Amino acid sequence: MASRAPRHPPLAAYVLHRYDWSESSVILDVFTREQGRIAVAAKGAKRPFSQLRGVLLPFQRLHLSVGRDAGGDDGREVQTLRTADWAGGHAMLTGAALFSGFYANELLMKLLARHDPHPRLFDAYGETVAALGGSDEETQAALRAFELVLLREIGLLPDL
């Protein structure tokens, strides 16, 4: 009787960016609380009736289950998406708030190394995304606060 690998709890995550991979699949750059920034292959996510199409959206909190093929950690950079569930969130960003959200995502993609978890930064990102739907002053204050947490977490903020 073959033993099964232990199941891991789902990862709390946000989609930062998506890249077309094939005719029916995408590669996602996701920010997770547990593993930091990781790359995930969502096979079949572009198919018309895929349940993932309406779930893998930017700025929405998700619970992801990822894994590798049998054999464990084979050194590949991209993990395979097993399941994705919406974990609650808010209305989709539009207009200037959408551009502010893309700015926050770009900061994470450019400044964070892969597989370097930052739980405090993850929480700050969630708070920032929630604040982006407010007034322009609230949006700018949220972005500046997020930038400071990001710089502190990656060790680049001088002692002020």
Side-chain angles (χ1 to χ4, degrees):
M1 175 187 254
S3 65
R4 298 180 107 189
R7 294 186 58 92
H8 299 287
L11 302 172
Y14 289 96
V15 173
L16 298 176
H17 194 71
R18 66 184 282 156
Y19 309 89
D20 288 340
W21 180 35
S22 68
E23 199 170 296
S24 64
S25 302
V26 295
I27 300 289
L28 302 171
D29 199 342
V30 297
F31 183 41
T32 70
R33 175 190 301 273
E34 298 83 358
Q35 296 183 16
R37 193 172 63 87
I38 60 173
V40 177
K43 297 179 181 177
K46 289 176 18 183
R47 290 191 180 125
F49 299 106
S50 171
Q51 294 180 355
L52 296 174
R53 283 175 67 111
V55 175
L56 300 176
L57 301 172
F59 316 115
Q60 298 295 310
R61 188 168 174 153
L62 306 173
H63 286 144
L64 304 180
S65 176
V66 298
R68 300 194 184 275
D69 295 332
D73 187 12
D74 57 6
R76 289 185 304 157
E77 181 77 15
V78 179
Q79 300 180 50
T80 302
L81 179 66
R82 303 287 184 218
T83 62
D85 297 307
W86 184 67
H90 40 272
M92 290 298 293
L93 300 177
T94 59
L98 181 63
F99 288 112
S100 296
F102 286 146
Y103 168 71
N105 286 359
E106 194 73 20
L107 287 175
L108 292 174
M109 290 190 314
K110 298 296 184 190
L111 296 176
L112 289 182
R114 291 202 190 271
H115 305 286
D116 185 16
H118 293 277
R120 183 167 177 218
L121 182 58
F122 182 88
D123 294 338
Y125 177 81
E127 293 167 7
T128 302
V129 168
L132 293 181
S135 68
D136 188 49
E137 293 80 21
E138 293 171 338
T139 296
Q140 293 306 316
L143 286 174
R144 297 305 79 80
F146 176 73
E147 291 167 340
L148 288 173
V149 171
L150 173 61
L151 291 173
R152 184 178 309 116
E153 285 293 310
I154 62 175
L156 295 178
L157 184 68
D159 188 12
L160 301 175

